[in-house]
Amino acid sequence: MNKLRPVAFLLLTLGAFCSLSYAAPSEAQKAKAFANPWETHISRYIVEGASVQGAQAAVIRVGGKVRRTLTIINGVSAELTGEEARKLQSSGELRLFKDAAVTTKAAPPPPAPPAPKGPKGPKSSASPTTILTDGTGVAAKRNQYETDYPILVGADVLQARGITGQGVTIAVLDTGLWTGGADNFNPRILASVDILNGGHPVSGDAYGHGTHITSIAASGSVTPNGHYFGIAPNANLVIVRAFDGEGQGSYTNVIAGLGWIVANQQKYKIRVVNLSFGAPPQSNYWDDPLNQAVMAAWRAGIVVVVSAGNGGPTPMTIGVPGNVPYVITVGAQTDNFTPFDPTDDRLASFSSTGPTYEGFVKPEMIAPGGHMVGSMSYQSYLANIDPGSMSKDEFLFTMSGTSQAAAVTSGVVALMLQADPSLTPDTVKCRLIASANPAVNSSGTLAYSVFQQGAGLVNATNAVNSVAANCANQGLNVSADIAGTAHFGGPANQDASGNFYIMDMASSTWGSPLSGDGYTWTQGYTWTQGYTWTQGYTWTQGYTWTQGCALNSGYAWSTNLPWWNTRGGLNTAAAPASIEDWVPNE
């Protein structure tokens, strides 16, 4: 994941934050971006305007080709030459972005993709085979060596009370879904759409990542001891495929998928969307077109759960769209290969760390994400390039990442919404934060920075029982953000010693994620309930972004974001974006 330099914040007056603004590109710089030899070279762009119709008409007027309408962001995907793109950006009424590549790097690429056949590596040797059923009496062999995560987050207690996600629809935007295992998906799939195949129903999951994620969130398999394999085993599902058989896609496809979800929200009662992917930030959060689509989904009343990324423990590695302040961004915890023994559980070393470039505390929380077992076809791409993690007979694959942590949290949200369907996205986020269990050391102080663990480990039982309100996204306005009339920054800053801290909590310096060696990655910590947070949860608030403020140069972080932060600007940086960098199981 690319490392970019952040923008700093300084508290100048009560409640007022300022940012170091960077100079808009000159006309000469804009012209240079389109200079030969690219005048006739055709590239794919995302073109945004005041309306879809306006953007479409503008593209056609200059001779470009519209490939797809993106109603959710008032834009289109278009093929343009450099000359055509220059004509569009010179109007000052449109914004252009190179359609960045997006790939699911959930496993290391092989020297050459093997033929689709069963893996020939050693089977996982984790523990004995048991029998699981799909909830309808159909037996399937399963290896029950990692079914502790529903217990770890308290979902099993709710499931025993009949809170299983019934009546709540989770949309999974990923690589598709394979339904040949024991997960009992088919009766609960309300709809599927393949963005890459003309909007036809999804016909499988050649890559495997989407199946793994869906299994963790909503598997209907039941163990002999009565525990469900998934978090929300009776939740309904909507499957949206936006990535191909090698895990590759584009901004356009992801945005189109989000647009379909929002357009069909009422029809399928979609309350949650899981986004287990991320890309390096290339602009302020509000200027990124994918983030704009995510904010539109949140505004529509859909709870958006996003993986933090696997770029940790380095600070400021939260990706897009995890850097959107509104959404629930999730980091990863691991049980340290000792299921059912919480004493050595710890933060996963790969879990991405905040703050964001705009000063927001991320992730909001963490969830199990270390060596997670989920369903997968042995014919999938992932199963063939990492055969040692595939159990062919049991159709289970072991994988680590914040993708899996997001899936756990999406399942928890479904449980919350079954228990109380009236919850808004902001209230769901508030209760998740208020009920999480932070890791503390033997002295009772935080074992990890708030920029690493957020509020702590998600707790489904506490979240369902919580009555907290108005403790998340305070001071933010998603409608104004989308409209461009106001944007927001968070309260994070960095002191002269390099420590990140929360400016509204003057007496609390929350550790320095920069040092890395301040945290032991080989020991566990107590995940405590009842931790006293200084001044409540003010670190979840945002403040109106203001430009042109004089900053103390000793505290200012310079910016190097390649997308131009001006209307009529152009993104010329189309480097591939990573959705889920491979990390070893831990």
Side-chain angles (χ1 to χ4, degrees), residues 265-339:
Q265 172 190 8
Q266 298 301 322
K267 183 176 181 180
Y268 299 114
K269 298 181 180 179
I270 300 170
R271 300 296 308 275
V272 191
V273 59
N274 187 91
L275 305 180
S276 285
F277 55 80
Q282 299 189 79
S283 69
N284 292 118
Y285 76 83
W286 58 81
D287 266 324
D288 187 289
L290 196 161
N291 282 350
Q292 293 164 13
V294 166
M295 288 192 289
W298 190 272
R299 181 178 62 176
I302 299 173
V303 180
V304 182
V305 181
V306 183
S307 55
N310 296 344
T314 306
M316 305 199 74
T317 49
I318 302 293
V320 171
N323 65 336
V324 173
Y326 304 94
V327 304
I328 298 164
T329 305
V330 188
Q333 174 258 21
T334 175
D335 67 12
N336 220 18
F337 294 99
T338 58

Side-chain angles (χ1 to χ4, degrees), residues 226-245:
H227 290 144
Y228 283 106
F229 195 73
I231 301 295
N234 287 330
N236 292 323
L237 295 166
V238 165
I239 305 301
V240 180
R241 179 175 179 251
F243 304 98
D244 66 18

Side-chain angles (χ1 to χ4, degrees), residues 284-522:
N284 292 118
Y285 76 83
W286 58 81
D287 266 324
D288 187 289
L290 196 161
N291 282 350
Q292 293 164 13
V294 166
M295 288 192 289
W298 190 272
R299 181 178 62 176
I302 299 173
V303 180
V304 182
V305 181
V306 183
S307 55
N310 296 344
T314 306
M316 305 199 74
T317 49
I318 302 293
V320 171
N323 65 336
V324 173
Y326 304 94
V327 304
I328 298 164
T329 305
V330 188
Q333 174 258 21
T334 175
D335 67 12
N336 220 18
F337 294 99
T338 58
F340 310 107
D341 177 9
T343 61
D344 61 354
D345 293 358
R346 58 177 172 80
L347 184 71
S349 62
F350 58 76
S351 187
S352 283
T353 299
T356 71
Y357 292 98
E358 293 78 26
F360 286 99
V361 175
K362 292 281 184 172
E364 274 80 15
M365 64 202 65
I366 59 175
H371 61 98
M372 300 287 283
V373 176
S375 293
M376 191 177 295
S377 167
Y378 68 84
Q379 293 182 319
S380 70
Y381 187 93
L382 288 179
N384 278 274
I385 65 174
D386 186 19
S389 293
M390 183 70 206
S391 175
K392 178 181 177 181
D393 294 338
E394 295 140 356
F395 303 112
L396 292 174
F397 189 79
T398 303
M399 183 161 45
S400 294
T402 57
S403 281
Q404 287 66 33
V408 170
T409 307
S410 290
V412 171
V413 172
L415 302 182
M416 296 173 67
L417 290 170
Q418 179 193 347
D420 186 353
S422 70
L423 297 179
T424 66
D426 283 350
T427 304
V428 167
K429 180 176 179 179
C430 169
R431 293 186 179 182
L432 283 169
I433 291 171
S435 61
N437 299 334
V440 297
N441 56 33
S442 58
S443 65
T445 58
L446 288 177
Y448 303 107
S449 163
V450 71
F451 301 114
Q452 294 173 302
Q453 68 171 327
L457 182 66
V458 65
N459 187 299
T461 305
N462 290 352
V464 166
N465 294 332
S466 175
V467 294
N470 303 318
C471 65
N473 294 347
Q474 298 299 292
L476 303 179
N477 185 324
V478 67
S479 294
D481 226 337
I482 292 171
T485 58
H487 301 303
F488 304 94
N493 208 335
Q494 189 176 22
D495 65 21
S497 299
N499 296 302
F500 292 94
Y501 68 97
I502 309 298
M503 290 186 289
D504 267 1
M505 305 170 80
S507 62
S508 299
T509 297
W510 295 80
S512 174
L514 279 175
S515 63
D517 56 6
Y519 303 97
T520 303
W521 301 102
T522 57

Side-chain angles (χ1 to χ4, degrees), residues 194-205:
D194 192 336
I195 299 299
L196 307 182
N197 188 27
H200 293 293
V202 174
S203 60
D205 182 7

Side-chain angles (χ1 to χ4, degrees), residues 16-239:
F17 286 80
C18 297
S19 71
L20 179 65
S21 60
Y22 53 95
S26 67
E27 291 302 318
Q29 288 174 315
K30 292 179 182 180
K32 184 178 180 180
F34 297 103
N36 286 326
W38 306 109
E39 288 290 324
T40 59
H41 179 75
I42 296 175
S43 297
R44 186 76 58 91
Y45 292 85
I46 294 173
V47 181
E48 293 183 80
S51 67
V52 173
Q53 294 78 11
Q56 188 170 10
V59 169
I60 294 172
R61 186 169 57 249
V62 299
K65 184 176 182 179
V66 175
R67 302 294 301 183
R68 184 190 289 273
T69 58
L70 302 171
T71 305
I72 193 170
I73 60 169
N74 290 328
V76 297
S77 173
E79 290 181 350
L80 301 166
T81 65
E83 181 181 4
E84 291 163 351
R86 185 171 60 206
K87 289 179 180 178
L88 286 177
Q89 63 87 25
S90 65
S91 70
E93 300 298 323
L94 301 168
R95 289 192 293 180
L96 276 69
F97 305 87
K98 276 283 184 70
D99 187 8
V102 180
T103 58
T104 51
K105 289 187 178 177
K117 57 184 178 181
K120 294 185 181 297
K123 291 179 60 176
S124 176
S125 57
S127 59
T129 298
T130 58
I131 300 294
L132 284 79
T133 67
D134 65 359
T136 61
V138 179
K141 276 192 174 182
R142 279 274 166 109
N143 189 318
Q144 193 194 348
Y145 56 86
E146 184 62 50
T147 57
D148 65 327
Y149 52 84
I151 300 170
L152 185 61
V153 301
D156 61 320
V157 176
L158 298 174
Q159 292 165 356
R161 290 166 45 191
I163 300 175
T164 57
Q166 185 82 36
V168 178
T169 303
I170 302 172
V172 181
L173 196 162
D174 214 288
T175 61
L177 181 65
W178 173 73
T179 58
D183 292 293
N184 194 28
F185 288 140
N186 281 320
R188 298 181 286 128
I189 300 174
L190 303 186
S192 69
V193 59
D194 192 336
I195 299 299
L196 307 182
N197 188 27
H200 293 293
V202 174
S203 60
D205 182 7
Y207 190 60
H209 186 265
T211 303
H212 200 263
I213 295 305
T214 307
S215 175
I216 290 169
S219 172
S221 293
V222 181
T223 68
N225 58 15
H227 290 144
Y228 283 106
F229 195 73
I231 301 295
N234 287 330
N236 292 323
L237 295 166
V238 165
I239 305 301

